[in-house]
Amino acid sequence: MLGDFDLTRSVPVLSVTFLAITCFLSITVPVLALYIFRRKYRSSFRALLIGIADGLTLEYMLCNVIWMLLLLIPFIQSSPLAYIFIGIILGCVIFEGGRYLMIGLMERYQIPFSGLFLLATGISGTNSLLRTSIKSFESFVIAITINDTGLETLAAEAGENAVTMLQAIEPMLTCQPYVYLMNGLDVFVNLLFHVSACVLLYGVYHKRLPNYYLPVTAGLRLFYELPGYLYTYGQIITNAYLAEGISILAAAGIAYLAYQATTTKMPDKLASLTPEGNQAFPDFNANIRKHSIRDNANILSNRQDKDSL
């Protein structure tokens, strides 16, 4: 029954290492971004809470609900491409519309432009912690278990479910190690995308940018999300590096748009991000250097004579 499986195989050490790195990055990058934005730009902590609320309710919970409801539609069940495209299109419209509303909520609480950084950190950080870190940690634990216990022992313990278990872990045994490292890279790319999207929709909300930037942002998100889903479901894109490259290209595109929009349409907001320089320590020797020692002595003596009068 298990003759087709090589029970002597194990998960490559490089794969285990990259899984550990991805787990580390998925936790530390959001925390580091929070520290930098909070310290350097004095971003409002309330904006972070709004971003976390957006990430939990829209980006995570509502996203899962949408994908589950789509599976209840008969023709979508038999068409993976329809499932992917309809799900992502609905998601992009709802998520970017929700981001627009969250920026409006920021305005209600009078959170300044710098709060966009923590808003984006809350959204992307929630995604990193609830998706990337959990999945990577689960895969890391499974990989360690396989290498420590051995497939033969695991198959014996699984009994009648051995074939199902081996089929489930087969991709982990054959997957190229660098694919796991790309998940860690996604943490940075995801943060860049959400910061850029927040800047664009901030411009739309405050009438600094035309309204068509809202569907443009949603379209770029579609371009950003689609490759990963197509690769995951084995549709059209079967190369992980190609899928990652397209997503990075989409993130770079929206980052460029956000940079251009900020420099040309919102230069005052960009200037407000410049951290205040540290005030120089007073140079007490400046006045002394203006006069010789004798001159300063004479000045002091004259003051004393006046005081005595």
Side-chain angles (χ1 to χ4, degrees):
M1 181 175 63
L2 303 178
D4 295 335
F5 294 95
D6 183 2
L7 299 180
T8 62
R9 288 183 298 174
S10 62
V11 180
V13 175
L14 199 57
S15 294
V16 179
T17 302
F18 287 159
L19 281 170
I21 292 175
T22 298
C23 290
F24 176 77
L25 291 176
S26 63
I27 297 174
T28 57
V29 169
V31 174
L32 183 61
L34 167 62
Y35 175 78
I36 293 175
F37 294 147
R38 178 71 174 169
R39 180 180 178 85
K40 186 173 183 180
Y41 299 122
R42 299 180 177 86
S43 296
S44 172
F45 190 76
R46 185 175 291 178
L48 176 68
L49 299 179
I50 295 175
I52 293 175
D54 183 281
L56 285 174
T57 59
L58 297 181
E59 301 278 339
Y60 186 75
M61 297 175 62
L62 185 58
C63 177
N64 291 331
V65 171
I66 290 174
W67 290 108
M68 288 189 296
L69 291 177
L70 287 176
L71 289 176
L72 300 178
I73 303 175
F75 86 92
I76 292 182
Q77 294 179 0
S78 59
S79 177
L81 280 178
Y83 177 64
I84 293 171
F85 276 97
I86 294 176
I88 293 181
I89 290 173
L90 288 175
C92 290
V93 171
I94 294 173
F95 301 153
E96 296 311 313
R99 191 197 305 274
Y100 183 84
L101 295 177
M102 293 300 174
I103 291 175
L105 186 61
M106 283 180 52
E107 184 66 17
R108 178 181 177 182
Y109 287 108
Q110 299 180 348
I111 298 174
F113 181 77
S114 61
L116 293 178
F117 292 101
L118 285 191
L119 175 67
T121 301
I123 298 172
S124 63
T126 301
N127 182 65
S128 297
L129 293 175
L130 294 181
R131 290 187 175 142
T132 305
S133 64
I134 291 177
K135 291 181 180 179
S136 298
F137 182 74
E138 288 177 349
S139 298
F140 177 77
V141 172
I142 293 173
I144 292 295
T145 303
I146 292 173
N147 291 350
D148 287 348
T149 307
L151 286 178
E152 187 173 358
T153 302
L154 292 175
E157 293 177 353
E160 296 180 354
N161 298 320
V163 175
T164 303
M165 183 269 293
L166 292 172
Q167 289 175 342
I169 65 176
E170 177 75 15
M172 182 173 292
L173 301 172
T174 59
C175 182
Q176 297 180 7
Y178 290 99
V179 172
Y180 296 116
L181 187 60
M182 287 193 301
N183 293 331
L185 176 62
D186 280 338
V187 178
F188 294 96
V189 178
N190 191 259
L191 177 61
L192 174 64
F193 181 91
H194 283 289
V195 168
S196 304
C198 287
V199 170
L200 290 179
L201 295 193
Y202 181 91
V204 174
Y205 184 86
H206 289 275
K207 308 301 181 183
R208 300 291 189 93
L209 297 175
N211 290 334
Y212 64 76
Y213 270 86
L214 179 55
V216 166
T217 303
L220 285 172
R221 173 143 193 186
L222 173 66
F223 190 57
Y224 171 74
E225 298 278 2
L226 185 60
Y229 280 94
L230 291 176
Y231 171 74
T232 301
Y233 288 92
Q235 303 292 319
I236 303 177
I237 298 178
T238 58
N239 186 292
Y241 302 107
L242 176 61
E244 184 68 19
I246 296 174
S247 295
I248 292 176
L249 182 62
I254 195 172
Y256 176 77
L257 281 181
Y259 174 77
Q260 289 294 322
T262 307
T263 54
T264 58
K265 302 296 185 180
M266 297 180 285
D268 55 323
K269 301 299 181 181
L270 184 62
S272 69
L273 294 177
T274 304
E276 297 179 1
N278 295 327
Q279 186 177 2
F281 194 76
D283 188 357
F284 293 108
N285 294 321
N287 291 328
I288 295 177
R289 286 195 297 267
K290 292 180 181 179
H291 310 281
S292 65
I293 296 177
R294 180 178 299 175
D295 291 336
N296 286 291
N298 292 332
I299 291 172
L300 291 175
S301 63
N302 290 334
R303 288 179 178 175
Q304 292 175 355
D305 293 340
K306 292 180 180 179
D307 293 339
S308 62
L309 295 176

